[in-house]
Coordinates of all heavy atoms in Angstrom, one line a residue:
M11 N -33.2 -8.7 18.0 CA -32.9 -7.4 17.2 C -31.7 -7.7 16.3 O -30.8 -8.3 16.7 CB -32.6 -6.3 18.1 CG -33.8 -5.7 18.8 SD -34.9 -4.8 17.7 CE -36.4 -4.7 18.8
T12 N -31.9 -7.1 15.1 CA -30.8 -7.2 14.1 C -30.4 -5.8 13.7 O -31.2 -4.9 13.6 CB -31.3 -8.0 12.9 OG1 -31.7 -9.3 13.2 CG2 -30.2 -8.1 11.8
E13 N -29.1 -5.6 13.6 CA -28.6 -4.4 13.1 C -28.0 -4.5 11.7 O -27.3 -5.5 11.4 CB -27.5 -3.8 14.0 CG -27.1 -2.4 13.7 CD -26.1 -1.8 14.7 OE1 -24.9 -2.1 14.4 OE2 -26.4 -1.2 15.6
T14 N -28.4 -3.6 10.8 CA -27.9 -3.7 9.5 C -27.5 -2.3 9.0 O -28.1 -1.3 9.5 CB -28.9 -4.3 8.5 OG1 -28.2 -4.6 7.3 CG2 -30.1 -3.5 8.2
K15 N -26.6 -2.2 8.1 CA -26.2 -0.9 7.6 C -26.5 -0.9 6.1 O -26.1 -1.8 5.3 CB -24.7 -0.6 7.8 CG -24.3 0.8 7.4 CD -23.0 1.2 7.9 CE -22.7 2.6 7.6 NZ -21.5 3.2 8.2
L16 N -27.3 0.1 5.7 CA -27.6 0.3 4.3 C -26.8 1.4 3.7 O -26.6 2.4 4.3 CB -29.1 0.7 4.1 CG -30.2 -0.2 4.8 CD1 -31.5 0.5 4.8 CD2 -30.3 -1.5 4.1
K17 N -26.3 1.2 2.5 CA -25.6 2.2 1.8 C -26.6 2.8 0.8 O -27.2 2.1 0.0 CB -24.3 1.7 1.0 CG -23.2 1.3 2.0 CD -22.0 1.0 1.3 CE -20.9 0.7 2.3 NZ -19.6 0.2 1.6
I18 N -26.7 4.1 0.8 CA -27.8 4.7 0.1 C -27.2 5.8 -0.9 O -26.4 6.6 -0.5 CB -28.8 5.4 1.0 CG1 -29.3 4.4 2.0 CG2 -29.9 6.1 0.3 CD1 -30.1 5.0 3.2
E19 N -27.7 5.7 -2.1 CA -27.3 6.6 -3.2 C -28.4 7.7 -3.4 O -29.6 7.4 -3.3 CB -27.1 5.9 -4.5 CG -25.8 6.2 -5.2 CD -25.5 5.1 -6.2 OE1 -26.4 4.5 -6.7 OE2 -24.3 4.9 -6.4
G20 N -28.0 8.9 -3.7 CA -28.9 9.9 -4.0 C -29.2 10.9 -2.9 O -30.0 11.8 -3.0
M21 N -28.6 10.7 -1.7 CA -28.8 11.6 -0.6 C -27.8 12.8 -0.7 O -26.7 12.6 -1.0 CB -28.6 10.9 0.7 CG -29.6 9.8 1.0 SD -29.3 8.9 2.5 CE -29.8 10.1 3.8
S22 N -28.3 14.0 -0.5 CA -27.4 15.1 -0.6 C -27.5 16.1 0.5 O -26.6 17.0 0.7 CB -27.6 15.8 -1.9 OG -28.9 16.2 -2.0
C23 N -28.6 16.1 1.3 CA -28.7 17.1 2.4 C -29.5 16.6 3.6 O -29.9 15.4 3.6 CB -29.3 18.4 1.8 SG -31.1 18.1 1.4
Q24 N -29.7 17.5 4.5 CA -30.5 17.1 5.7 C -31.9 16.7 5.4 O -32.5 15.9 6.1 CB -30.4 18.2 6.8 CG -29.1 18.3 7.5 CD -28.6 17.0 8.1 OE1 -29.3 16.3 8.8 NE2 -27.4 16.6 7.8
H25 N -32.5 17.2 4.3 CA -33.8 16.8 3.9 C -33.9 15.4 3.6 O -34.8 14.6 3.9 CB -34.4 17.7 2.8 CG -34.9 19.0 3.2 ND1 -34.4 20.2 2.7 CD2 -35.9 19.3 4.0 CE1 -35.0 21.2 3.3 NE2 -35.9 20.7 4.1
C26 N -32.8 15.0 2.9 CA -32.7 13.6 2.5 C -32.6 12.7 3.7 O -33.2 11.6 3.8 CB -31.5 13.3 1.6 SG -31.6 14.3 0.1
V27 N -31.8 13.1 4.6 CA -31.6 12.4 5.9 C -33.0 12.2 6.6 O -33.3 11.1 7.0 CB -30.6 13.1 6.8 CG1 -30.6 12.5 8.2 CG2 -29.2 13.1 6.2
Q28 N -33.7 13.3 6.7 CA -35.0 13.2 7.3 C -36.0 12.3 6.6 O -36.8 11.6 7.2 CB -35.6 14.7 7.5 CG -34.9 15.5 8.5 CD -34.8 14.9 9.9 OE1 -35.7 14.2 10.4 NE2 -33.6 15.0 10.5
A29 N -35.9 12.4 5.3 CA -36.9 11.6 4.4 C -36.6 10.1 4.6 O -37.5 9.3 4.8 CB -36.7 12.0 3.0
V30 N -35.3 9.8 4.7 CA -34.9 8.3 4.9 C -35.3 7.9 6.3 O -35.8 6.8 6.5 CB -33.4 8.1 4.6 CG1 -32.9 6.8 5.1 CG2 -33.1 8.3 3.1
K31 N -35.0 8.8 7.2 CA -35.3 8.4 8.6 C -36.8 8.2 8.8 O -37.2 7.2 9.4 CB -34.9 9.6 9.5 CG -34.5 9.2 10.9 CD -33.9 10.4 11.7 CE -33.7 10.2 13.1 NZ -32.8 9.1 13.4
K32 N -37.6 9.0 8.2 CA -39.1 8.9 8.3 C -39.5 7.6 7.6 O -40.4 6.9 8.2 CB -39.7 10.1 7.6 CG -41.2 10.3 7.9 CD -41.7 11.5 7.3 CE -43.3 11.5 7.3 NZ -43.8 12.5 6.4
A33 N -39.0 7.3 6.4 CA -39.4 6.1 5.7 C -39.0 4.8 6.5 O -39.9 3.9 6.7 CB -38.6 6.0 4.4
L34 N -37.8 4.8 7.1 CA -37.4 3.7 7.9 C -38.2 3.5 9.2 O -38.6 2.4 9.6 CB -35.9 3.7 8.2 CG -35.0 3.5 7.0 CD1 -33.6 3.9 7.3 CD2 -35.1 2.1 6.4
S35 N -38.4 4.7 9.9 CA -39.1 4.7 11.1 C -40.6 4.2 11.0 O -41.2 3.7 12.0 CB -39.1 6.0 11.8 OG -37.8 6.5 11.9
G36 N -41.1 4.3 9.8 CA -42.5 3.9 9.6 C -42.7 2.4 9.4 O -43.9 2.0 9.3
I37 N -41.7 1.7 9.4 CA -41.8 0.2 9.2 C -42.0 -0.4 10.5 O -41.3 -0.2 11.5 CB -40.5 -0.3 8.5 CG1 -40.2 0.4 7.2 CG2 -40.6 -1.8 8.4 CD1 -38.9 0.0 6.6
A38 N -43.0 -1.3 10.6 CA -43.3 -2.1 11.8 C -42.0 -2.9 12.1 O -41.5 -3.6 11.2 CB -44.5 -3.0 11.6
G39 N -41.6 -2.9 13.3 CA -40.5 -3.7 13.8 C -39.1 -2.9 13.8 O -38.2 -3.4 14.4
V40 N -39.1 -1.7 13.2 CA -37.9 -0.9 13.3 C -37.8 -0.3 14.6 O -38.7 0.4 15.1 CB -37.8 0.1 12.1 CG1 -36.7 1.1 12.4 CG2 -37.7 -0.6 10.8
D41 N -36.7 -0.5 15.3 CA -36.5 0.0 16.7 C -35.8 1.4 16.7 O -36.2 2.3 17.3 CB -35.7 -1.0 17.5 CG -35.7 -0.7 18.9 OD1 -36.8 -0.7 19.6 OD2 -34.6 -0.4 19.5
S42 N -34.7 1.5 16.0 CA -34.0 2.7 15.9 C -33.2 2.9 14.6 O -32.9 1.9 14.0 CB -33.0 2.9 17.1 OG -31.9 2.1 16.9
T43 N -33.0 4.1 14.2 CA -32.3 4.4 13.0 C -31.2 5.4 13.2 O -31.4 6.4 14.1 CB -33.2 4.9 11.9 OG1 -33.8 6.2 12.3 CG2 -34.4 4.0 11.6
D44 N -30.1 5.3 12.6 CA -29.1 6.3 12.7 C -28.7 6.6 11.2 O -28.1 5.8 10.5 CB -27.9 5.7 13.4 CG -26.8 6.8 13.6 OD1 -27.0 7.9 13.2 OD2 -25.7 6.4 14.0
V45 N -29.3 7.7 10.7 CA -29.1 8.0 9.3 C -28.2 9.2 9.1 O -28.2 10.2 9.8 CB -30.5 8.4 8.7 CG1 -30.4 8.7 7.2 CG2 -31.6 7.3 9.0
E46 N -27.3 9.0 8.1 CA -26.5 10.1 7.7 C -26.4 10.1 6.2 O -27.0 9.2 5.6 CB -25.1 10.1 8.3 CG -24.4 8.7 8.1 CD -23.1 8.6 9.0 OE1 -22.1 9.1 8.5 OE2 -23.2 8.1 10.1
I47 N -25.9 11.2 5.6 CA -25.9 11.2 4.1 C -25.1 10.0 3.6 O -23.9 9.9 3.9 CB -25.3 12.6 3.7 CG1 -26.2 13.7 4.0 CG2 -25.0 12.6 2.1 CD1 -25.7 15.1 3.8
G48 N -25.7 9.2 2.8 CA -25.1 8.1 2.2 C -25.2 6.7 2.9 O -24.9 5.7 2.3
S49 N -25.8 6.8 4.1 CA -25.9 5.5 4.8 C -26.9 5.6 5.9 O -27.3 6.7 6.4 CB -24.6 5.0 5.4 OG -24.2 5.8 6.4
A50 N -27.4 4.4 6.3 CA -28.4 4.3 7.4 C -28.1 3.0 8.2 O -27.9 2.0 7.6 CB -29.8 4.3 7.0
T51 N -27.9 3.2 9.5 CA -27.8 2.0 10.4 C -29.1 1.8 11.1 O -29.7 2.7 11.6 CB -26.7 2.2 11.4 OG1 -25.5 2.5 10.7 CG2 -26.4 1.0 12.2
V52 N -29.7 0.6 10.9 CA -31.0 0.3 11.4 C -31.0 -0.9 12.4 O -30.4 -1.9 12.1 CB -32.0 0.0 10.2 CG1 -33.4 -0.1 10.7 CG2 -31.9 1.1 9.1
L53 N -31.7 -0.7 13.5 CA -31.9 -1.8 14.4 C -33.3 -2.2 14.3 O -34.2 -1.4 14.5 CB -31.5 -1.3 15.8 CG -31.5 -2.3 17.0 CD1 -30.3 -3.3 16.7 CD2 -31.4 -1.6 18.3
Y54 N -33.5 -3.5 14.0 CA -34.9 -3.9 13.8 C -35.2 -5.3 14.3 O -34.2 -6.1 14.5 CB -35.3 -3.8 12.3 CG -34.5 -4.7 11.4 CD1 -35.1 -5.9 10.9 CD2 -33.2 -4.4 10.9 CE1 -34.4 -6.7 10.1 CE2 -32.5 -5.2 10.1 CZ -33.1 -6.4 9.7 OH -32.4 -7.2 8.8
D55 N -36.4 -5.6 14.5 CA -36.8 -6.9 14.9 C -37.0 -7.8 13.7 O -37.9 -7.6 12.9 CB -38.2 -6.8 15.7 CG -38.7 -8.1 16.2 OD1 -38.2 -9.2 15.8 OD2 -39.6 -8.1 17.0
D56 N -36.2 -8.8 13.5 CA -36.2 -9.6 12.3 C -37.4 -10.6 12.2 O -37.6 -11.2 11.2 CB -34.9 -10.2 11.9 CG -34.4 -11.2 13.0 OD1 -35.2 -11.5 13.9 OD2 -33.2 -11.5 13.0
A57 N -38.2 -10.6 13.3 CA -39.5 -11.3 13.2 C -40.6 -10.5 12.5 O -41.6 -11.1 12.1 CB -39.9 -11.8 14.6
K58 N -40.4 -9.2 12.5 CA -41.4 -8.3 11.9 C -41.0 -7.7 10.6 O -41.9 -7.3 9.8 CB -41.7 -7.2 13.0 CG -42.4 -7.7 14.2 CD -42.7 -6.5 15.1 CE -43.3 -7.0 16.5 NZ -43.2 -6.0 17.5
A59 N -39.7 -7.5 10.4 CA -39.3 -6.8 9.2 C -38.0 -7.5 8.6 O -37.3 -8.2 9.3 CB -39.0 -5.4 9.5
T60 N -37.8 -7.3 7.3 CA -36.6 -7.9 6.7 C -35.8 -6.8 6.1 O -36.3 -5.7 6.0 CB -37.0 -8.9 5.6 OG1 -37.6 -8.1 4.5 CG2 -38.0 -10.0 6.0
R61 N -34.6 -7.1 5.8 CA -33.7 -6.1 5.1 C -34.4 -5.6 3.8 O -34.3 -4.5 3.5 CB -32.4 -6.7 4.9 CG -31.3 -5.7 4.5 CD -30.0 -6.3 4.1 NE -29.3 -5.4 3.2 CZ -28.3 -4.5 3.5 NH1 -27.9 -4.5 4.8 NH2 -27.8 -3.7 2.7
K62 N -35.1 -6.5 3.2 CA -35.8 -6.1 1.9 C -36.8 -5.1 2.2 O -37.0 -4.2 1.4 CB -36.5 -7.4 1.3 CG -35.5 -8.3 0.6 CD -35.3 -7.8 -0.9 CE -34.0 -8.5 -1.5 NZ -33.1 -7.5 -2.1
D63 N -37.5 -5.2 3.3 CA -38.5 -4.2 3.7 C -37.8 -2.8 3.8 O -38.4 -1.8 3.4 CB -39.2 -4.5 5.0 CG -40.1 -5.8 4.9 OD1 -40.5 -6.1 3.8 OD2 -40.2 -6.4 5.9
L64 N -36.7 -2.8 4.5 CA -35.9 -1.6 4.7 C -35.5 -0.9 3.4 O -35.7 0.2 3.1 CB -34.7 -1.8 5.6 CG -34.9 -2.6 6.9 CD1 -33.5 -2.8 7.6 CD2 -35.9 -1.9 7.8
E65 N -35.0 -1.8 2.5 CA -34.5 -1.3 1.2 C -35.7 -0.8 0.4 O -35.6 0.3 -0.3 CB -33.8 -2.5 0.5 CG -32.5 -2.9 1.1 CD -31.8 -4.0 0.4 OE1 -32.4 -4.6 -0.6 OE2 -30.7 -4.4 0.8
A66 N -36.8 -1.5 0.4 CA -38.0 -1.0 -0.3 C -38.5 0.3 0.1 O -38.8 1.2 -0.7 CB -39.1 -2.1 -0.2
A67 N -38.5 0.5 1.5 CA -38.9 1.8 2.0 C -38.0 3.0 1.6 O -38.5 4.1 1.2 CB -39.0 1.8 3.5
V68 N -36.7 2.7 1.6 CA -35.8 3.7 1.1 C -36.0 4.0 -0.3 O -36.0 5.2 -0.8 CB -34.3 3.3 1.4 CG1 -33.3 4.2 0.7 CG2 -34.0 3.2 2.9
E69 N -36.2 3.0 -1.1 CA -36.4 3.2 -2.6 C -37.7 3.9 -2.8 O -37.8 4.8 -3.7 CB -36.3 1.9 -3.3 CG -34.9 1.4 -3.4 CD -34.7 0.0 -4.0 OE1 -35.7 -0.8 -4.0 OE2 -33.5 -0.3 -4.3
E70 N -38.7 3.6 -2.0 CA -40.0 4.3 -2.2 C -39.9 5.8 -1.9 O -40.6 6.6 -2.4 CB -41.1 3.7 -1.3 CG -42.0 2.7 -2.0 CD -42.9 2.0 -1.1 OE1 -43.6 2.7 -0.3 OE2 -43.0 0.8 -1.1
A71 N -38.9 6.1 -1.0 CA -38.7 7.5 -0.6 C -37.9 8.2 -1.7 O -37.7 9.5 -1.6 CB -38.0 7.6 0.7
G72 N -37.5 7.5 -2.7 CA -36.8 8.2 -3.9 C -35.3 8.0 -3.9 O -34.7 8.7 -4.7
F73 N -34.8 7.1 -3.1 CA -33.3 6.9 -3.1 C -33.0 5.5 -3.6 O -33.9 4.7 -3.8 CB -32.8 7.1 -1.7 CG -33.1 8.5 -1.2 CD1 -34.2 8.6 -0.3 CD2 -32.5 9.6 -1.5 CE1 -34.6 9.8 0.2 CE2 -32.8 10.8 -1.0 CZ -33.9 10.9 -0.2
S74 N -31.7 5.2 -3.9 CA -31.4 3.8 -4.3 C -30.4 3.2 -3.3 O -29.6 3.9 -2.7 CB -31.0 3.8 -5.7 OG -30.1 4.8 -6.0
I75 N -30.5 1.9 -3.3 CA -29.6 1.1 -2.4 C -28.3 0.7 -3.1 O -28.4 0.2 -4.2 CB -30.3 -0.1 -1.9 CG1 -31.6 0.3 -1.1 CG2 -29.4 -1.0 -1.0 CD1 -31.3 1.0 0.2
K76 N -27.2 0.9 -2.6 CA -26.0 0.5 -3.2 C -25.7 -1.0 -2.6 O -25.9 -1.2 -1.4 CB -24.8 1.3 -2.7 CG -24.6 2.6 -3.6 CD -23.2 3.1 -3.3 CE -23.2 4.5 -2.8 NZ -21.8 5.0 -2.5
P77 N -25.4 -1.9 -3.5 CA -25.2 -3.2 -3.1 C -24.0 -3.4 -2.1 O -23.1 -2.5 -2.1 CB -24.9 -4.0 -4.3 CG -24.7 -3.0 -5.4 CD -25.2 -1.7 -5.0
Ligands
CU122 CU1 -31.6 16.4 0.3

């Protein structure tokens, strides 16, 4: 398991938190997520998912990743 923290731009309320949580939880290999406004800490199996997958899911949900 790998833990990574994503910095996320464009989140402003609990709806955004739920949207990001849902997007991340839908990825195969993601074990747990801890999402708050502006960031998400994700525990995932790096044999099944990559950080790029996590970032892509967040972007597909309408937010952007801060480098
Ligand atoms: Cu919101």
Side-chain angles (χ1 to χ4, degrees):
M11 286 289 168
T12 300
E13 188 179 82
T14 192
K15 186 164 184 175
L16 304 169
K17 288 189 179 174
I18 304 168
E19 227 163 29
M21 296 176 73
S22 58
C23 69
Q24 286 305 312
H25 279 121
C26 301
V27 170
Q28 289 308 317
V30 169
K31 207 171 174 62
K32 194 177 167 194
L34 291 170
S35 303
I37 302 170
V40 169
D41 190 63
S42 72
T43 63
D44 183 7
V45 183
E46 51 191 278
I47 292 171
S49 70
T51 304
V52 186
L53 188 66
Y54 65 100
D55 181 346
D56 58 17
K58 292 183 184 161
T60 65
R61 191 186 155 99
K62 283 276 163 228
D63 295 331
L64 308 179
E65 292 181 355
V68 169
E69 283 171 348
E70 264 174 49
F73 305 97
S74 43
I75 300 293
K76 275 198 241 178

